[in-house]
């Protein structure tokens, strides 16, 4: 049967309607326009997948355009990271563009607006401008410079451009309507003076355009058909269209702005300002720290492009903002890694197990299946010997009937190996167990076909041979915040909800096959979770990051 096609989302319905009225297929063009003032995060993934997904659906070009109009916050590092993240997600852009590519055109159009009496240079401070804008319930008052002579505004604007006037002394404002019910239409600022070096234009420009002026005009230059943005930009649509009307009055083919709902993720923040604070104050190590909701952080945590795209697809494109529980994102990565991650054995909290009737000095190689979900994954060999490591949690000296792991006088199976029976323990002077002694049934080898191998026992434990164990550093990452919505309480700083246990670093012991793994290789530590090789790995030490445990342990906590 052919795969059933998913129903159209409301953005696709808009495009389908436009194809019957205002646009041809060849006139469709989309864009993803990030500001390079930080790393992309999981919230951006929805916009990336929407815009590039539309490009794939309609075989239309999608530009990557950097909204680089604020040299005080933008860096080449962020440009490079954004390009790297989008490529990693599997998308290709038609053209790489920058708002700074259009600085001259934007300036020329602004000069024409001044000449047409639709813009003026205001010499008020930013505080004065904010005060005279009024409130949503009361009209604004006109600037005393609103009717400044055109020639005077032109002269001042040129001096602003040439760097002859200081920062904060003058701005260029559009002349619209100070009584408008939309505060954004009350003579918005189009340009401000900034004597700062730009990552692409250096010190060539001393004035920089504001977002509302830049965005629609950039869309127009690139012939973008549908300019898609999140709901907070809905009030900006009127201004977006006003600027297009003034500059391109005779052109009927205009970009169309439409808005969709932002999807917030629980137990994190996605404000770039707040993410930057986490980095600056050392709460996390970097923008790609595996606890961060950045795409780079998720990649380093072990998330796959497919898991992120499946997550975005599952939450859909909507008109109402809501908070998606992070467990839904974790579910998607579990689903994906379950299909592709090889199974290996590692012990995180080791205690020694001695098989007293197994020959001393003997090591045998046992066959282990790499991934039962993937028939093509094949098998590997794992060394087995008299002395093994098992998890401390997998043994109790005394246990009730519901404990199905190892205890005295009961049997369990060692994964891919033999059935063993607990016999005794060795304790130190403080009474702590240091060794567990057991016996094994030599006829019970897994896969041997013997009657003993078919004997049913209720528990199966993973293990690592002591003599062959590979020491590895394991970083156990958890949610960065203890609260689902750490920035919802306006009375408290979101930093108050930092989870003090978001990272635990331990030394674990793994089967020797893991020494052949490369950075970003992903595995399932059987019975424990999914892990990925971190970039901090060196010849001396392999470092693993925990992506997610096998089960959602937070679900139980959240329900209490």
């Amino acid at each position: 049967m052919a795969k059933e096609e998913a129903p159209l989302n409301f953005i696709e319905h808009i495009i389908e309607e436009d194809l019957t009225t205002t646009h041809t297929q060849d006139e469709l063009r989309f864009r993803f326009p990030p500001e390079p003032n930080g790393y992309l995060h999981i919230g951006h993934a929805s916009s990336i997948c929407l815009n590039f997904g539309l490009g794939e659906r309609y075989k239309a070009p999608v530009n990557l355009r950097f909204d680089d109009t604020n040299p005080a916050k933008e860096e080449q590092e962020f440009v490079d990271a954004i390009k790297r993240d989008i490529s990693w997600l599997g998308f290709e852009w038609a053209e790489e563009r920058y708002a700074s590519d259009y600085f001259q055109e934007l300036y020329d159009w602004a000069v024409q607006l001044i000449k047409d009496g639709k813009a003026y240079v205001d010499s008020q401070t930013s505080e004065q401008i904010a005060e005279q804008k009024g409130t949503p319930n009361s009209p604004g008052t006109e600037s005393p410079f609103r009717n400044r002579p055109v020639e005077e505004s032109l002269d001042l604007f040129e001096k602003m451009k040439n760097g002859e006037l200081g920062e904060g002394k003058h701005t260029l404002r559009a002349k619209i309507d100070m009584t408008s019910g939309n505060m954004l239409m009350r003579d918005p600022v189009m340009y401000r003076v900034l004597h700062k070096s730009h990552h692409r234009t250096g010190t060539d420009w001393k004035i920089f355009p504001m977002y509302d002026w830049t965005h629609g005009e950039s869309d127009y230059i690139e012939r973008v058909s549908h300019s898609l943005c999140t709901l907070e930009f809905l009030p900006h649509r009127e201004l977006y269209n006003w600027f297009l009307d003034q500059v391109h009055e005779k052109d009927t083919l205009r970009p169309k702005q439409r808005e969709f709902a932002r999807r917030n993720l629980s137990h994190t923040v996605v404000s770039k300002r707040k993410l930057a604070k986490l980095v600056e104050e050392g709460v996390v190590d970097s923008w790609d720290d595996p606890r961060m909701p950045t795409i780079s952080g998720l990649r380093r945590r072990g998330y796959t492009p497919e898991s992120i795209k499946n997550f975005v697809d599952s939450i859909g494109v909507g008109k109402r903002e809501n908070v998606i529980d992070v467990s839904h994102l974790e579910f998607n990565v579990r689903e994906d890694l379950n299909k592709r991650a090889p199974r290996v054995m590692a012990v995180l909290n080791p205690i020694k197990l001695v098989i007293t009737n197994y020959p001393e000095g003997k090591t045998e190689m046992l066959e282990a299946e790499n991934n039962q979900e993937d028939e093509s994954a094949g098998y590997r060999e794992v060394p087995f010997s008299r002395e093994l490591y098992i998890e401390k949690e997998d043994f109790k000296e005394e246990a009730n009937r519901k404990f199905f792991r190892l205890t005295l006088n009961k049997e369990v199976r060692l994964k891919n190996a033999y059935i063993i029976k607990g016999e005794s323990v060795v304790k130190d002077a403080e009474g702590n167990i240091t060794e567990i002694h057991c016996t094994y049934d030599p006829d019970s080898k897994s896969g041997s076909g013997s009657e003993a191998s078919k004997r049913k026992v209720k528990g199966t434990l993973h293990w690592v041979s002591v003599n062959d164990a590979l020491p590895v550093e394991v970083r156990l990452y958890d949610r960065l915040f203890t609260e689902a919505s750490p920035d919802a309480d306006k009375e408290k700083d979101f930093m108050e909800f930092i989870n003090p246990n978001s990272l635990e670093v331990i030394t674990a012991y793994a089967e020797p096959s893991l020494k052949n793994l490369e950075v970003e290789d992903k595995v399932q530590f059987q019975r424990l979770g999914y892990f990925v090789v971190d970039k901090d790995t060196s010849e001396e030490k392999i470092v693993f990051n925990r992506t997610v445990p096998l089960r959602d342990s937070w679900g139980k906590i959240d329900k209490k």
Side-chain angles (χ1 to χ4, degrees):
M1 286 181 63
K3 184 179 178 182
E4 187 175 339
E5 198 165 308
L8 299 181
N9 60 52
F10 80 96
I11 294 290
E12 291 166 338
H13 277 295
I14 291 171
I15 295 170
E16 290 291 331
E17 182 179 343
D18 289 345
L19 285 172
T20 66
T21 54
T22 58
H23 291 73
T24 66
Q25 182 84 23
D26 292 340
E27 289 170 340
L28 294 182
R29 179 182 287 272
F30 307 97
R31 87 292 171 266
F32 175 64
E35 182 181 0
N37 63 346
Y39 279 52
L40 297 179
H41 52 65
I42 188 63
H44 291 112
S46 290
S47 182
I48 294 169
C49 292
L50 174 60
N51 283 287
F52 284 96
L54 290 171
E56 292 174 356
R57 180 183 183 92
Y58 293 103
K59 297 180 173 56
V62 184
N63 284 355
L64 170 60
R65 182 176 73 239
F66 291 96
D67 177 27
D68 57 340
T69 60
N70 187 356
K73 294 183 179 180
E74 295 155 3
E75 300 176 19
Q76 186 62 39
E77 174 196 351
F78 300 138
V79 171
D80 296 339
I82 289 168
K83 291 163 62 175
R84 188 167 59 244
D85 287 345
I86 295 172
S87 294
W88 177 73
L89 283 172
F91 297 114
E92 295 182 12
W93 50 91
E95 296 180 35
E96 182 180 325
R97 298 290 192 98
Y98 295 82
S100 55
D101 293 338
Y102 315 132
F103 279 177
Q104 186 62 51
E105 287 169 279
L106 292 168
Y107 175 78
D108 293 341
W109 284 331
V111 168
Q112 188 60 51
L113 287 180
I114 297 173
K115 290 179 178 178
D116 293 342
K118 296 174 181 177
Y120 62 96
V121 172
D122 195 342
S123 301
Q124 296 182 104
T125 65
S126 58
E127 291 79 12
Q128 288 172 321
I129 291 174
E131 184 177 349
Q132 54 96 213
K133 274 207 169 188
T135 70
N137 299 317
S138 61
T141 55
E142 293 184 358
S143 164
F145 302 98
R146 194 173 197 264
N147 296 311
R148 174 173 253 158
V150 168
E151 292 304 320
E152 187 178 332
S153 280
L154 287 172
D155 179 61
L156 285 169
F157 191 46
E158 184 174 1
K159 288 179 178 177
M160 289 165 61
K161 173 181 177 290
N162 294 337
E164 299 174 35
L165 303 175
E167 292 187 9
K169 302 293 184 182
H170 307 277
T171 58
L172 181 71
R173 294 177 69 181
K175 187 186 290 188
I176 309 180
D177 181 3
M178 291 303 293
T179 64
S180 172
N182 183 346
M183 296 281 288
L184 295 171
M185 299 297 287
R186 297 181 185 179
D187 290 12
V189 173
M190 295 173 62
Y191 276 92
R192 75 283 202 202
V193 177
L194 287 174
H195 292 177
K196 292 181 173 60
S197 180
H198 186 275
H199 71 102
R200 292 185 76 242
T201 62
T203 56
D204 291 349
W205 288 88
K206 306 297 189 294
I207 55 170
F208 290 90
M210 302 297 287
Y211 171 86
D212 283 314
W213 166 237
T214 308
H215 197 70
E217 302 308 307
S218 299
D219 285 341
Y220 177 85
I221 292 170
E222 296 176 21
R223 309 309 287 172
V224 169
S225 60
H226 295 80
S227 181
L228 308 175
C229 49
T230 46
L231 274 180
E232 67 262 33
F233 291 99
L234 177 58
H236 295 248
R237 193 202 294 183
E238 185 180 2
L239 181 54
Y240 180 98
N241 290 331
W242 187 88
F243 280 131
L244 290 174
D245 288 341
Q246 311 316 307
V247 183
H248 313 291
E249 183 179 1
K250 296 179 182 179
D251 194 336
T252 56
L253 190 63
R254 307 266 190 83
K256 174 183 286 189
Q257 176 177 309
R258 290 297 180 266
E259 305 80 21
F260 61 96
R262 181 195 297 272
R263 296 291 199 252
N264 297 310
L265 196 67
S266 74
H267 296 90
T268 191
V269 295
V270 290
S271 156
K272 285 184 183 177
R273 177 181 59 81
K274 292 177 179 178
L275 293 176
K277 186 174 182 179
L278 293 173
V279 176
E280 291 161 2
E281 297 199 6
V283 175
V284 295
D285 295 330
S286 57
W287 282 90
D288 71 345
D289 186 294
R291 290 166 290 183
M292 290 281 270
T294 58
I295 294 174
S296 293
L298 291 169
R299 177 180 181 177
R300 192 173 171 192
R301 179 83 170 249
Y303 279 76
T304 60
E306 293 79 9
S307 66
I308 293 175
K309 288 190 282 190
N310 289 342
F311 168 72
V312 169
D313 186 55
S314 69
I315 62 178
V317 179
K319 298 182 180 181
R320 292 185 179 180
E321 290 192 0
N322 58 357
V323 176
I324 308 298
D325 196 286
V326 69
S327 62
H328 186 54
L329 176 62
E330 294 167 346
F331 168 81
N332 278 273
V333 76
R334 285 191 189 95
E335 285 282 290
D336 191 54
L337 291 178
N338 182 52
K339 301 169 189 172
R340 67 178 75 233
R343 276 51 168 168
V344 298
M345 291 194 288
V347 175
L348 303 187
N349 187 19
I351 189 169
K352 184 182 287 188
L353 177 76
V354 180
I355 307 174
T356 56
N357 63 332
Y358 192 88
E360 291 191 41
K362 177 182 177 181
T363 298
E364 64 177 305
M365 303 303 292
L366 302 179
E367 192 175 71
E369 191 174 11
N370 286 328
N371 187 346
Q372 63 269 31
E373 301 291 329
D374 180 4
E375 293 182 1
S376 66
Y379 293 80
R380 71 190 186 286
E381 290 190 326
V382 183
F384 182 87
S385 61
R386 175 186 172 92
E387 294 187 353
L388 309 173
Y389 287 132
I390 65 169
E391 301 285 351
K392 282 185 180 178
E393 295 81 4
D394 282 343
F395 176 78
K396 284 186 178 180
E397 191 173 3
E398 296 180 5
N400 59 34
R401 292 181 179 181
K402 293 184 178 180
F403 186 75
F404 297 131
R405 287 167 278 179
L406 183 62
T407 186
L408 297 182
N409 301 313
K410 288 190 177 180
E411 290 185 328
V412 296
R413 175 171 289 283
L414 296 176
K415 182 73 175 175
N416 304 309
Y418 299 94
I419 292 174
I420 60 171
K421 181 180 180 181
E423 301 289 353
S424 62
V425 295
V426 176
K427 299 182 180 180
D428 61 18
E430 285 76 38
N432 301 309
I433 299 173
T434 57
E435 285 185 9
I436 306 161
H437 288 188
C438 66
T439 55
Y440 86 118
D441 180 350
D443 295 325
S444 64
K445 184 177 178 180
S446 294
S448 65
S450 68
E451 289 302 315
S453 70
K454 298 175 184 177
R455 193 162 78 250
K456 301 295 183 183
V457 292
K458 291 186 175 180
T460 300
L461 311 184
H462 64 279
W463 51 271
V464 173
S465 170
V466 171
N467 292 336
D468 303 281
L470 178 69
V472 295
E473 179 178 307
V474 174
R475 298 172 181 175
L476 301 173
Y477 290 102
D478 209 334
R479 300 179 187 184
L480 188 54
F481 293 94
T482 56
E483 293 292 317
S485 300
D487 52 0
D489 189 340
K490 304 307 178 185
E491 301 297 319
K492 294 185 177 181
D493 188 333
F494 76 102
M495 300 285 278
E496 294 181 37
F497 302 110
I498 295 290
N499 178 9
N501 302 313
S502 64
L503 172 61
E504 181 185 1
V505 181
I506 63 172
T507 297
Y509 294 92
E511 62 177 77
S513 67
L514 273 63
K515 65 185 176 185
N516 298 318
L517 295 179
E518 304 286 341
V519 172
E520 291 196 12
D521 280 351
K522 301 161 184 66
V523 293
Q524 183 198 99
F525 287 178
Q526 290 183 303
R527 301 178 64 231
L528 299 174
Y530 294 100
F531 293 76
V532 62
V533 181
D534 187 70
K535 67 180 183 179
D536 288 344
T537 290
S538 64
E539 290 185 8
E540 293 76 32
K541 178 179 64 177
I542 301 178
V543 179
F544 285 93
N545 298 329
R546 182 172 65 187
T547 307
V548 284
L550 283 185
R551 295 174 183 81
D552 178 16
S553 58
W554 274 80
K556 299 175 182 177
I557 298 173
D558 293 340
K559 291 173 184 176
K560 286 183 179 179

